[in-house]
């Protein structure tokens, strides 16, 4: 796999550790398999600054938001962009009729398929892998795989945006809104610019860059970013705030008004109805 894809095994290793806690927030029985040895090596290399509790919180927040979206909104097509070693298709309680599309680089999807080849396929749901480079056209291959742009979709953009330059971030989020029907939902995470410049994270950032996975993007105003790209923001949470704590976050959470604070944000958005639909 390419170097950037190895980070997926790092986060899988963190999910494995959470799964093995007695007070675990979620159970991912496949995490240790897809993490492999390299995942735990990278976890040790990148550890520090609340990474492990953050990954547990992010996974839990998105797990619950995904389940809520498909149950309450009746969405039946779910797209994980840069799906990595995500195993939600196997472990979440999907309603019958859901199709889960996993987009990522071909080499990663091939490696993941080999790792999970002996896992039984859950009934009542469909998983479709779509090998793409997200810096190129990916909507065409996704449509060819069966995704219908005229029906509501749940987009999940987890652990991706900070690896992209700002222009690519804006293009991607705008593409998601432009290719989604009203009633669609966007879930994901992003960090603050201050997190990229945090002196206490220099060793971590240097290790990422050395491994070919530099973090490039952050914003202090995720609400404005998402709105500018066509989304109605329903909530933005920092780890440790109500709804994004889960008794895991060990640090205080400074108010958003406090400047130059390294932050992570978890967000839920939806596609607003067109003006003529609102008036109807």
């Amino acid at each position: 796999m390419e170097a950037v894809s190895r980070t997926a095994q790092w986060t899988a290793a963190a999910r494995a550790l959470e799964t093995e806690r007695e007070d675990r927030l979620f159970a991912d029985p496949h995490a240790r398999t897809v993490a492999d040895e390299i995942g735990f090596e990278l976890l040790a290399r990148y550890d520090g600054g609340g990474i492990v509790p953050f990954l547990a919180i992010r996974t839990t927040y998105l797990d619950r938001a995904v389940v809520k979206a498909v149950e309450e909104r009746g969405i039946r097509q779910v797209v994980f962009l840069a799906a990595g070693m995500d195993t939600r298709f196997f472990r979440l309680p999907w309603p019958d009729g859901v199709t889960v599309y996993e987009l990522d680089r071909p080499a990663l999807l091939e490696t993941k398929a080999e790792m999970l080849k002996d896992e039984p396929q859950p009934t009542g749901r469909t998983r479709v892998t779509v090998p793409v480079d997200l810096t190129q056209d990916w909507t065409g291959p996704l449509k060819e795989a069966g995704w219908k742009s005229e029906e509501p979709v749940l987009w999940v953009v987890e652990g991706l945006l900070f690896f992209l330059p700002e222009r690519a971030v804006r293009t991607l989020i705008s593409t998601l809104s432009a290719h989604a029907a009203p009633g669609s939902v966007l879930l994901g995470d992003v960090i603050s610019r201050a997190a990229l410049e945090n002196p206490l994270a220099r060793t971590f950032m240097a290790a990422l860059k050395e491994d070919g996975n530099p973090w490039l993007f952050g914003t202090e105003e995720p609400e404005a970013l998402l709105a500018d790209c066509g989304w109605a923001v329903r909530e933005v949470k920092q780890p440790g705030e109500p709804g994004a704590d889960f008794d895991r976050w060990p640090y205080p959470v400074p108010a958003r008004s406090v400047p130059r604070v390294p932050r992570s944000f978890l967000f839920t958005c939806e596609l607003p109805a067109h003006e003529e639909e609102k008036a109807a």
Side-chain angles (χ1 to χ4, degrees):
M1 294 190 299
E2 297 93 336
V4 68
S5 299
R6 294 293 184 189
T7 60
Q9 291 177 283
W10 158 43
T11 55
R15 295 200 308 274
L17 294 184
E18 180 65 29
T19 297
E20 292 158 8
R21 291 177 57 135
E22 289 188 3
D23 61 343
R24 59 181 174 266
L25 294 172
F26 56 84
D28 186 346
H30 315 289
R32 187 167 282 273
T33 298
V34 296
D36 208 4
E37 291 183 9
I38 185 63
F40 290 94
E41 292 171 5
L42 291 175
L43 189 62
R45 176 168 169 77
Y46 300 148
D47 194 15
I51 286 293
V52 170
F54 168 70
L55 292 173
I57 288 171
R58 184 178 76 182
T59 300
T60 304
Y61 176 89
L62 292 176
D63 278 1
R64 297 182 183 188
V66 166
V67 170
K68 182 177 180 180
V70 295
E71 287 185 348
E72 294 185 1
R73 293 175 174 269
I75 295 174
R76 291 298 179 265
Q77 49 181 2
V78 181
V79 180
F80 290 93
L81 292 101
M85 295 299 176
D86 183 272
T87 63
R88 289 188 175 95
F89 171 78
F90 296 93
R91 64 182 182 82
L92 289 188
W94 299 103
D96 286 349
V98 165
T99 299
V100 174
Y101 298 92
E102 296 185 5
L103 277 62
D104 215 311
R105 294 170 181 265
L108 182 145
L109 293 176
E110 290 170 8
T111 300
K112 184 176 179 180
E114 179 64 23
M115 289 175 161
L116 296 173
K117 65 180 181 180
D118 296 326
E119 294 297 327
Q121 296 294 306
T123 59
R125 66 192 74 166
T126 303
R127 175 171 171 257
V128 180
T129 57
V130 185
V132 292
D133 181 340
L134 290 172
T135 64
Q136 308 296 324
D137 171 54
W138 54 267
T139 58
L142 182 57
K143 287 182 180 179
E144 292 174 4
W147 166 70
K148 300 177 177 63
S149 60
E150 67 274 14
E151 296 180 6
V153 59
L154 170 58
W155 302 114
V156 183
V157 185
E158 179 182 21
L160 172 62
L161 299 182
F162 32 76
F163 288 108
L164 305 175
E166 181 171 355
R167 178 175 293 182
V169 169
R170 291 183 175 275
T171 297
L172 176 63
I173 300 174
S174 297
T175 299
L176 297 178
S177 62
H179 289 79
S184 296
V185 174
L186 169 64
L187 305 173
D189 67 309
V190 70
I191 59 174
S192 67
R193 187 73 196 174
L196 296 176
E197 301 166 350
N198 179 13
L200 298 177
R202 284 174 182 164
T203 301
F204 169 66
M205 292 295 180
L208 285 170
K209 185 175 181 180
E210 183 178 329
D211 292 347
N213 310 312
W215 283 8
L216 303 173
F217 175 75
T219 177
E220 263 60 41
E221 298 180 344
E223 294 91 346
L225 167 70
L226 294 161
D228 287 348
C229 296
W231 290 96
V233 180
R234 289 297 165 245
E235 68 175 21
V236 173
K237 299 280 190 180
Q238 297 181 82
E241 293 181 333
D245 183 4
F246 314 118
D247 294 323
R248 280 291 183 276
W249 192 244
Y251 308 109
V253 184
R256 291 281 296 276
S257 58
V258 180
R260 295 184 295 279
V261 173
R263 305 178 193 272
S264 296
F265 303 107
L266 302 163
F267 57 79
T268 298
C269 307
E270 65 181 26
L271 193 69
H274 299 305
E275 290 304 319
E276 60 271 19
E277 293 173 341
K278 292 179 182 179

